[in-house]
Amino acid sequence: MNRIHQELDTLARFSSSEFPSVTRVLYTQEDLDARDYFIGLCEEIGLKVRVDAIGNTYARWEGTAPELAAVGTGSHIDAIPLSGQYDGTVGVFGGLEAIRYLKSLDYKPKRSIELVLFTAEEPTRFAIGCLGSRMMSGQLTPEQALKLKDKEGGFFNDIREAAGFNGDLNDVKLFEDYYHAFIELHIEQGPRLEKDNLDIGIVDKIAAPSTLIVKLIGEGGHAGAVLMPIRKDAGVAGAEIMMAVERIAKDSKSEDTVATTGIFDILPRAVNSIPKEAYLEIDLRDTNIETRDKALADLKHEIAEICEKRHIKYSIELLNCDPPATCDENLVHTAEKAAKGLGYSTKVMTSHAYHDSLFMAQMFPTTMIFIPSKDGVSHRPDEYSSPEEIDKGVQTLALTLKEVAS
C-alpha cells in the first residue's frame, strides 16, 4: 500500500504554509487544487464522481443492485492553519485505497460503495465545523448558510460561487435512506490507542459540541491616567471568563466534559491602552447532553455575573449546540469483527473530537474506525500515524465495507 502514503505526501503539498505544516482553507486555491487531485484519482479507477452545490464530492463504485441504498465512507481534506497531513485525509484517501483493494480481489459489491469528500469539516473560514455534513443532514439549512460570513466579511454564497460551486443549496440535503450505513476512517487525535498498544479503535459514541462567541465592550483609556478603581477593562473580564471556562469543565460530573477558549482577542492591542473590547470563541463539548447543557448554562450565568461586576456590556452568540451521536451497535460489531479477523487488537471507544460522522449518524447507521496518533498529537505539523497503522485502518475499513455492501 505504498501508493496511499505517496498520495498523502503529495496532498500535503497543496498548502499555503511550508511543509511539513499544512494550511488548506475552504475555497482557497490550495483547497480547489487538492479537490481536483482527489477527483482525478477517483476517475482513474472508474468511480463516478459528482459534486454538489457547496463542493461535497461523491465518488461512487456502482454495485450490482444500484437501486439499494449505498454504503458510504469518507472524511475531509481541509486543514486548519499550520496543522498536519493526516487529520481527515486518511479517511478520504484511505477510503480510496480500500476501494482499490476490493477491486483487486475481483469483488463486486451488491450495494454501491460511495466515497465522500466532505466540504469544510474545520471551522476555519466560517467559524462553524462540519459545514458540508451539516447541510447534507439538514442540520444547517440553506437560509442559515446564506447568513455565514468569513473574517473578512465575505458572504458564504458569494465565496462558494466565486470558487465555482453554483448549484441550488436546497439540493445538498440527502434523502433519509440515501445510505444503508456510513463508516469513517480517522486518526484518533488522542493517546489512548498508542498508550494501550492497540491497533484499531471502533467508535460507539461521538461527543456533542457547542460553540459560543462572546463579545465584551468596556471603556478604553490611557494605561497610566485611568486609576484602577474606575476601570472597565474588557480584557480582564475576558480573562476571568476564560478561567471560568476551565473551572466549569473541571467541576462537571462528567469526565467527558471539555471546554476551550480557542480564540481570545482584545482591542486596541496597545501596551499603554486599556482594552476597550474583547472577543472570545469558546468550544464546550461532552458525550452526555445533560452535563454538556448544564456546563453551558453555568458558563452563561458566570459570564453575566462577571460582566455585571466589572460594568462590562456583553453579548453571547450560540453558534451551534449539537446532539451527541450513538453509533449503530451492529455496525460497531461488524467493524470490530473485521479488525479481529485480520489479527488486529481492538478497543470500543468514545470519540471526544467530533467529525462529519456526528451528522451522518443523525440520519444513517454510522460508526468510525480509529488508528493510533503518535503521542496523541493532532492539529500540529508533527501529527503522525505510521504507514503500518494507516494500512491496518485501510484493511479494516475495506473488509467492513465488503461485509456491509454484500
Side-chain angles (χ1 to χ4, degrees):
M1 292 189 180
N2 287 333
R3 176 173 46 202
I4 181 178
H5 310 299
Q6 294 169 357
E7 290 170 352
L8 288 171
D9 186 74
T10 298
L11 182 70
R13 314 297 169 147
F14 296 104
S15 169
S16 60
S17 60
E18 187 174 349
F19 186 84
S21 74
V22 180
T23 302
R24 193 161 47 242
V25 177
L26 174 65
Y27 298 148
T28 60
Q29 192 59 52
E30 293 80 18
D31 178 46
L32 299 178
D33 290 344
R35 290 167 179 270
D36 287 343
Y37 174 59
F38 167 72
I39 289 171
L41 294 176
C42 291
E43 291 177 339
E44 279 181 10
I45 62 168
L47 303 185
K48 296 180 180 179
V49 177
R50 73 177 179 91
V51 181
D52 74 12
I54 63 171
N56 290 315
T57 302
Y58 302 81
R60 178 169 288 221
W61 179 17
E62 193 166 279
T64 57
E67 71 280 2
L68 296 178
V71 177
T73 189
S75 194
H76 66 100
I77 63 169
D78 62 313
I80 68 169
L82 305 177
S83 61
Q85 71 177 84
Y86 299 98
D87 174 22
T89 61
V90 167
V92 176
F93 283 74
L96 180 60
E97 189 63 22
I99 291 173
R100 289 177 178 138
Y101 171 71
L102 293 175
K103 280 178 168 280
S104 75
L105 301 178
D106 291 328
Y107 166 74
K108 184 68 174 177
K110 181 178 181 181
R111 296 180 182 273
S112 298
I113 295 176
E114 189 164 74
L115 175 58
V116 185
L117 187 164
F118 292 99
T119 280
E121 192 263 0
E122 304 291 3
T124 310
R125 185 145 200 183
F126 294 106
I128 185 168
C130 298
L131 190 154
S133 54
R134 282 180 193 275
M135 293 195 71
M136 289 162 66
S137 63
Q139 299 296 312
L140 180 70
T141 66
E143 293 74 24
Q144 291 169 326
L146 290 173
K147 296 177 182 177
L148 296 175
K149 291 192 293 185
D150 67 9
K151 290 180 175 63
E152 285 71 46
F155 280 98
F156 168 72
N157 204 50
D158 295 335
I159 294 168
R160 67 116 184 174
E161 288 184 346
F165 303 106
N166 301 299
D168 187 342
L169 294 179
N170 290 295
D171 294 337
V172 175
K173 187 178 184 301
L174 301 178
F175 49 85
E176 290 185 1
D177 59 349
Y178 186 86
Y179 286 128
H180 175 68
F182 190 89
I183 308 109
E184 180 175 3
L185 173 64
H186 208 282
I187 62 171
E188 183 194 350
Q189 299 180 287
R192 291 168 295 172
L193 290 175
E194 183 184 58
K195 181 181 177 182
D196 294 342
N197 195 30
L198 296 171
D199 298 315
I200 297 291
I202 312 298
V203 174
D204 63 346
K205 291 187 295 185
I206 306 173
S210 60
T211 306
L212 296 90
I213 294 176
V214 181
K215 297 178 182 178
L216 309 176
I217 300 177
E219 287 185 5
H222 193 285
V226 180
L227 299 182
M228 301 305 291
I230 61 171
R231 291 192 177 193
K232 299 177 181 178
D233 188 325
V236 176
E240 194 170 349
I241 290 169
M242 190 174 185
M243 294 298 292
V245 168
E246 180 185 48
R247 185 183 68 256
I248 287 168
K250 285 184 174 180
D251 290 346
S252 171
K253 292 182 179 180
S254 168
E255 64 178 13
D256 290 336
T257 304
V258 291
T260 306
T261 305
I263 296 177
F264 181 17
D265 204 359
I266 56 173
L267 291 175
R269 300 184 73 192
V271 69
N272 61 344
S273 183
I274 300 165
K276 64 177 182 177
E277 296 179 23
Y279 176 90
L280 300 88
E281 290 188 13
I282 299 165
D283 179 297
L284 195 158
R285 62 182 78 183
D286 199 335
T287 57
N288 183 296
I289 198 165
E290 286 81 13
T291 49
R292 193 278 309 273
D293 287 350
K294 183 182 185 304
L296 204 54
D298 289 346
L299 179 57
K300 290 178 181 178
H301 178 72
E302 288 231 20
I303 291 170
E305 285 195 337
I306 290 165
C307 291
E308 182 180 1
K309 174 183 68 177
R310 294 185 173 277
H311 306 289
I312 301 294
K313 297 177 182 178
Y314 72 96
S315 67
I316 301 173
E317 179 185 357
L318 188 60
L319 196 61
N320 64 279
C321 189
D322 302 305
T326 299
C327 296
D328 182 78
E329 186 176 342
N330 290 331
L331 207 52
V332 170
H333 176 73
T334 300
E336 188 177 22
K337 182 180 176 182
K340 287 182 176 178
L342 290 162
Y344 301 150
S345 54
T346 67
K347 178 179 184 176
V348 176
M349 60 195 301
T350 295
S351 174
H352 293 99
Y354 73 95
H355 308 274
D356 290 304
S357 283
L358 177 68
F359 298 96
M360 292 296 96
Q362 309 305 324
M363 297 184 73
F364 316 113
T366 298
T367 192
M368 299 184 70
I369 296 169
F370 276 175
I371 61 170
S373 298
K374 181 173 173 52
D375 299 326
V377 165
S378 185
H379 283 189
R380 290 175 10 191
D382 56 335
E383 170 184 278
Y384 183 73
S385 294
S386 71
E388 295 76 18
E389 290 164 340
I390 293 171
D391 289 348
K392 289 176 182 179
V394 170
Q395 291 166 8
T396 301
L397 174 63
L399 294 192
T400 304
L401 292 173
K402 182 174 183 287
E403 178 65 25
V404 178
S406 294

